[in-house]
């Protein structure tokens, strides 16, 4: 069983940067790992994903601003967030796919079987 622990959330001003980390314990093998976020009153939204082969996907809303990366040796997942906007404010979650596979679409949250507890990002204008 995999456990995921996110960190790095903070309160920043619009235009600022943050780097989120997700430490994974257990076997991650060829699973897909991803970042999701959820703002108050909204559904969970896929932000970015990366599979064991290095294939990366981003939500349109973060393309060109966020960078996802994976250190398989640790293993840890990261999300570098630049040019932050107030609409990026949310609880950010790390997740692993249910099966060893290429990443499912970011819209398919049910395809992710393990989740962290989240780290809060606040962006002030």
């Amino acid at each position: 069983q995999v456990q995921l622990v996110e960190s790095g959330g903070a309160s920043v001003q619009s235009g600022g940067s943050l780097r989120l980390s997700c430490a994974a314990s257990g076997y991650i093998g060829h699973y897909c790992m991803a970042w999701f976020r959820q703002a108050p009153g909204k559904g969970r939204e896929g932000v970015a994903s990366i599979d064991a082969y290095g294939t990366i996907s981003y939500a349109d809303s973060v393309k060109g601003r966020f960078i996802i990366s994976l250190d398989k040796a640790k293993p840890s997942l990261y999300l570098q967030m630049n040019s932050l906007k107030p609409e990026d404010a949310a609880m950010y979650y790390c997740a692993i796919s249910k099966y060893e596979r290429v990443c499912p679409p970011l819209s398919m949250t049910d395809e992710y079987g393990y989740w962290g507890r989240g780290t809060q990002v606040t962006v002030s204008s």
Side-chain angles (χ1 to χ4, degrees):
Q1 186 168 350
V2 177
Q3 291 187 326
L4 304 170
V5 180
E6 303 94 335
S7 62
S11 180
V12 298
Q13 289 192 327
S14 182
S17 297
L18 278 176
R19 188 185 193 220
L20 304 184
S21 299
C22 172
S25 62
Y27 174 75
I28 67 166
H30 290 82
Y31 290 85
C32 167
M33 296 190 72
W35 287 99
F36 290 80
R37 66 187 182 186
Q38 188 166 16
K42 296 188 177 182
R44 192 163 291 188
E45 173 191 20
V47 175
S49 64
I50 183 168
D51 67 21
Y53 310 99
T55 303
I56 290 173
S57 294
Y58 293 104
D60 288 344
S61 58
V62 306
K63 279 181 183 175
R65 299 188 299 121
F66 290 11
I67 301 171
I68 188 172
S69 60
L70 175 65
D71 184 336
K72 294 181 185 179
K74 289 190 175 182
S76 290
L77 182 71
Y78 304 98
L79 186 68
Q80 177 66 42
M81 305 188 295
N82 302 318
S83 302
L84 282 162
K85 305 176 181 180
E87 52 263 43
D88 294 318
M91 184 71 81
Y92 281 73
Y93 300 91
C94 171
I96 289 184
S97 59
K98 288 181 177 178
Y99 308 107
E100 291 188 89
R101 53 164 292 175
V102 296
C103 288
L106 287 167
S107 59
M108 298 178 71
T109 56
D110 288 348
E111 292 295 316
Y112 291 86
Y114 296 98
W115 296 79
R117 292 190 173 187
T119 186
Q120 183 70 47
V121 172
T122 304
V123 184
S124 56
S125 56

Short mmCIF file of all heavy atoms in Angstrom, two decimals, residues 3-36:
data_model
loop_
_atom_site.label_atom_id
_atom_site.label_comp_id
_atom_site.label_asym_id
_atom_site.label_seq_id
_atom_site.Cartn_x
_atom_site.Cartn_y
_atom_site.Cartn_z
N GLN A 3 1.60 5.26 0.64
CA GLN A 3 1.20 6.44 1.41
C GLN A 3 1.83 7.67 0.78
O GLN A 3 2.99 7.64 0.36
CB GLN A 3 1.63 6.30 2.86
CG GLN A 3 0.87 5.24 3.61
CD GLN A 3 1.19 5.23 5.09
OE1 GLN A 3 2.31 5.51 5.48
NE2 GLN A 3 0.21 4.91 5.92
N LEU A 4 1.06 8.74 0.72
CA LEU A 4 1.50 9.98 0.09
C LEU A 4 1.37 11.13 1.07
O LEU A 4 0.33 11.28 1.72
CB LEU A 4 0.64 10.27 -1.15
CG LEU A 4 0.58 9.18 -2.21
CD1 LEU A 4 -0.48 9.50 -3.25
CD2 LEU A 4 1.93 9.00 -2.88
N VAL A 5 2.42 11.93 1.17
CA VAL A 5 2.41 13.08 2.08
C VAL A 5 2.87 14.31 1.33
O VAL A 5 4.02 14.39 0.88
CB VAL A 5 3.32 12.84 3.30
CG1 VAL A 5 3.27 14.06 4.21
CG2 VAL A 5 2.89 11.59 4.05
N GLU A 6 1.95 15.28 1.20
CA GLU A 6 2.25 16.52 0.50
C GLU A 6 2.84 17.55 1.46
O GLU A 6 2.55 17.53 2.66
CB GLU A 6 1.00 17.11 -0.16
CG GLU A 6 0.28 16.20 -1.13
CD GLU A 6 -0.85 15.43 -0.48
OE1 GLU A 6 -0.80 15.21 0.75
OE2 GLU A 6 -1.78 15.03 -1.21
N SER A 7 3.61 18.46 0.90
CA SER A 7 4.14 19.58 1.67
C SER A 7 4.46 20.72 0.71
O SER A 7 4.47 20.53 -0.50
CB SER A 7 5.40 19.17 2.44
OG SER A 7 6.42 18.77 1.54
N GLY A 8 4.72 21.89 1.28
CA GLY A 8 5.14 23.03 0.48
C GLY A 8 4.08 24.08 0.26
O GLY A 8 4.37 25.15 -0.28
N GLY A 9 2.85 23.80 0.67
CA GLY A 9 1.81 24.80 0.51
C GLY A 9 2.07 26.01 1.40
O GLY A 9 2.66 25.90 2.47
N ALA A 10 1.64 27.17 0.92
CA ALA A 10 1.86 28.40 1.68
C ALA A 10 0.95 29.49 1.12
O ALA A 10 0.20 29.27 0.17
CB ALA A 10 3.32 28.83 1.58
N SER A 11 1.05 30.66 1.74
CA SER A 11 0.33 31.82 1.27
C SER A 11 1.31 32.71 0.51
O SER A 11 2.34 33.09 1.06
CB SER A 11 -0.28 32.56 2.45
OG SER A 11 -0.99 33.69 2.01
N VAL A 12 0.99 33.04 -0.74
CA VAL A 12 1.88 33.87 -1.56
C VAL A 12 1.07 34.95 -2.26
O VAL A 12 -0.16 34.86 -2.35
CB VAL A 12 2.64 33.03 -2.61
CG1 VAL A 12 3.53 32.01 -1.95
CG2 VAL A 12 1.67 32.38 -3.58
N GLN A 13 1.76 35.94 -2.76
CA GLN A 13 1.10 36.98 -3.53
C GLN A 13 0.99 36.57 -4.99
O GLN A 13 1.77 35.76 -5.48
CB GLN A 13 1.88 38.28 -3.39
CG GLN A 13 1.77 38.92 -2.02
CD GLN A 13 2.31 40.34 -2.00
OE1 GLN A 13 3.23 40.66 -2.73
NE2 GLN A 13 1.72 41.18 -1.17
N SER A 14 0.03 37.17 -5.66
CA SER A 14 -0.14 36.92 -7.09
C SER A 14 1.17 37.20 -7.83
O SER A 14 1.84 38.20 -7.56
CB SER A 14 -1.24 37.82 -7.62
OG SER A 14 -1.47 37.59 -8.99
N GLY A 15 1.53 36.30 -8.73
CA GLY A 15 2.78 36.41 -9.46
C GLY A 15 3.93 35.66 -8.83
O GLY A 15 4.99 35.51 -9.43
N GLY A 16 3.72 35.18 -7.62
CA GLY A 16 4.77 34.46 -6.90
C GLY A 16 4.89 33.02 -7.34
O GLY A 16 4.18 32.55 -8.24
N SER A 17 5.80 32.31 -6.67
CA SER A 17 6.07 30.91 -7.00
C SER A 17 6.06 30.05 -5.74
O SER A 17 6.34 30.53 -4.64
CB SER A 17 7.45 30.78 -7.66
OG SER A 17 7.49 31.46 -8.89
N LEU A 18 5.74 28.78 -5.94
CA LEU A 18 5.80 27.78 -4.87
C LEU A 18 6.23 26.47 -5.48
O LEU A 18 5.96 26.21 -6.66
CB LEU A 18 4.44 27.59 -4.21
CG LEU A 18 3.97 28.56 -3.13
CD1 LEU A 18 2.57 28.21 -2.69
CD2 LEU A 18 4.93 28.60 -1.96
N ARG A 19 6.84 25.64 -4.66
CA ARG A 19 7.17 24.27 -5.07
C ARG A 19 6.54 23.30 -4.09
O ARG A 19 6.89 23.29 -2.91
CB ARG A 19 8.67 24.06 -5.11
CG ARG A 19 9.07 22.72 -5.74
CD ARG A 19 10.55 22.51 -5.65
NE ARG A 19 11.00 21.39 -6.49
CZ ARG A 19 11.92 20.52 -6.11
NH1 ARG A 19 12.49 20.63 -4.91
NH2 ARG A 19 12.29 19.55 -6.93
N LEU A 20 5.63 22.50 -4.59
CA LEU A 20 4.99 21.47 -3.78
C LEU A 20 5.76 20.16 -3.91
O LEU A 20 6.28 19.85 -4.98
CB LEU A 20 3.54 21.27 -4.21
CG LEU A 20 2.64 22.50 -4.22
CD1 LEU A 20 1.22 22.09 -4.58
CD2 LEU A 20 2.68 23.23 -2.89
N SER A 21 5.78 19.40 -2.82
CA SER A 21 6.41 18.10 -2.82
C SER A 21 5.43 17.05 -2.34
O SER A 21 4.53 17.34 -1.55
CB SER A 21 7.64 18.10 -1.90
OG SER A 21 8.59 19.03 -2.32
N CYS A 22 5.62 15.84 -2.83
CA CYS A 22 4.79 14.71 -2.39
C CYS A 22 5.73 13.53 -2.19
O CYS A 22 6.28 12.99 -3.16
CB CYS A 22 3.75 14.39 -3.44
SG CYS A 22 2.83 12.86 -3.11
N ALA A 23 5.90 13.15 -0.93
CA ALA A 23 6.76 12.01 -0.60
C ALA A 23 5.92 10.74 -0.62
O ALA A 23 4.88 10.67 0.04
CB ALA A 23 7.40 12.21 0.76
N ALA A 24 6.38 9.75 -1.37
CA ALA A 24 5.66 8.49 -1.48
C ALA A 24 6.41 7.40 -0.74
O ALA A 24 7.63 7.29 -0.85
CB ALA A 24 5.49 8.11 -2.94
N SER A 25 5.68 6.60 0.00
CA SER A 25 6.27 5.42 0.64
C SER A 25 5.59 4.19 0.08
O SER A 25 4.38 4.19 -0.13
CB SER A 25 6.08 5.49 2.16
OG SER A 25 4.72 5.49 2.48
N GLY A 26 6.38 3.18 -0.19
CA GLY A 26 5.82 1.99 -0.81
C GLY A 26 6.21 1.92 -2.27
O GLY A 26 6.89 2.79 -2.81
N TYR A 27 5.72 0.88 -2.92
CA TYR A 27 6.08 0.63 -4.31
C TYR A 27 5.29 1.53 -5.26
O TYR A 27 4.07 1.55 -5.21
CB TYR A 27 5.79 -0.83 -4.64
CG TYR A 27 5.97 -1.21 -6.08
CD1 TYR A 27 7.25 -1.37 -6.61
CD2 TYR A 27 4.87 -1.43 -6.90
CE1 TYR A 27 7.42 -1.73 -7.94
CE2 TYR A 27 5.04 -1.79 -8.22
CZ TYR A 27 6.32 -1.94 -8.73
OH TYR A 27 6.48 -2.30 -10.04
N ILE A 28 5.97 2.29 -6.10
CA ILE A 28 5.25 3.11 -7.08
C ILE A 28 5.44 2.58 -8.49
O ILE A 28 4.66 2.93 -9.39
CB ILE A 28 5.64 4.59 -7.01
CG1 ILE A 28 7.09 4.82 -7.44
CG2 ILE A 28 5.37 5.16 -5.62
CD1 ILE A 28 7.41 6.27 -7.70
N GLY A 29 6.46 1.77 -8.71
CA GLY A 29 6.65 1.07 -9.96
C GLY A 29 6.37 1.90 -11.20
O GLY A 29 6.95 2.94 -11.43
N HIS A 30 5.43 1.41 -12.02
CA HIS A 30 5.06 2.08 -13.26
C HIS A 30 3.69 2.74 -13.14
O HIS A 30 2.97 2.86 -14.12
CB HIS A 30 5.09 1.10 -14.42
CG HIS A 30 6.47 0.68 -14.78
ND1 HIS A 30 7.16 -0.31 -14.11
CD2 HIS A 30 7.33 1.14 -15.73
CE1 HIS A 30 8.36 -0.45 -14.64
NE2 HIS A 30 8.50 0.41 -15.61
N TYR A 31 3.37 3.16 -11.93
CA TYR A 31 2.11 3.86 -11.74
C TYR A 31 2.22 5.29 -12.27
O TYR A 31 3.30 5.87 -12.33
CB TYR A 31 1.73 3.89 -10.27
CG TYR A 31 1.32 2.55 -9.72
CD1 TYR A 31 2.27 1.64 -9.26
CD2 TYR A 31 -0.03 2.19 -9.65
CE1 TYR A 31 1.90 0.40 -8.77
CE2 TYR A 31 -0.41 0.96 -9.15
CZ TYR A 31 0.55 0.07 -8.72
OH TYR A 31 0.19 -1.14 -8.23
N CYS A 32 1.10 5.85 -12.56
CA CYS A 32 1.01 7.25 -12.92
C CYS A 32 0.85 8.06 -11.63
O CYS A 32 0.13 7.65 -10.72
CB CYS A 32 -0.20 7.48 -13.83
SG CYS A 32 -0.65 9.20 -14.05
N MET A 33 1.51 9.21 -11.55
CA MET A 33 1.33 10.10 -10.41
C MET A 33 0.84 11.45 -10.91
O MET A 33 1.20 11.89 -12.00
CB MET A 33 2.64 10.26 -9.64
CG MET A 33 3.12 8.96 -9.01
SD MET A 33 4.50 9.18 -7.87
CE MET A 33 3.66 9.97 -6.49
N ALA A 34 0.04 12.09 -10.08
CA ALA A 34 -0.59 13.33 -10.53
C ALA A 34 -0.85 14.28 -9.38
O ALA A 34 -0.86 13.89 -8.21
CB ALA A 34 -1.91 13.00 -11.24
N TRP A 35 -1.06 15.53 -9.74
CA TRP A 35 -1.50 16.56 -8.82
C TRP A 35 -2.92 16.97 -9.18
O TRP A 35 -3.24 17.18 -10.35
CB TRP A 35 -0.60 17.80 -8.90
CG TRP A 35 0.76 17.61 -8.29
CD1 TRP A 35 1.93 17.34 -8.94
CD2 TRP A 35 1.09 17.70 -6.90
NE1 TRP A 35 2.96 17.25 -8.04
CE2 TRP A 35 2.48 17.47 -6.78
CE3 TRP A 35 0.36 17.96 -5.74
CZ2 TRP A 35 3.14 17.49 -5.56
CZ3 TRP A 35 1.02 17.98 -4.53
CH2 TRP A 35 2.39 17.73 -4.44
N PHE A 36 -3.73 17.10 -8.14
CA PHE A 36 -5.08 17.60 -8.27
C PHE A 36 -5.24 18.78 -7.31
O PHE A 36 -4.44 18.96 -6.39
CB PHE A 36 -6.10 16.52 -7.91
CG PHE A 36 -6.17 15.40 -8.92
CD1 PHE A 36 -5.24 14.38 -8.92
CD2 PHE A 36 -7.17 15.39 -9.88
CE1 PHE A 36 -5.29 13.36 -9.86
CE2 PHE A 36 -7.24 14.37 -10.82
CZ PHE A 36 -6.29 13.35 -10.80
#
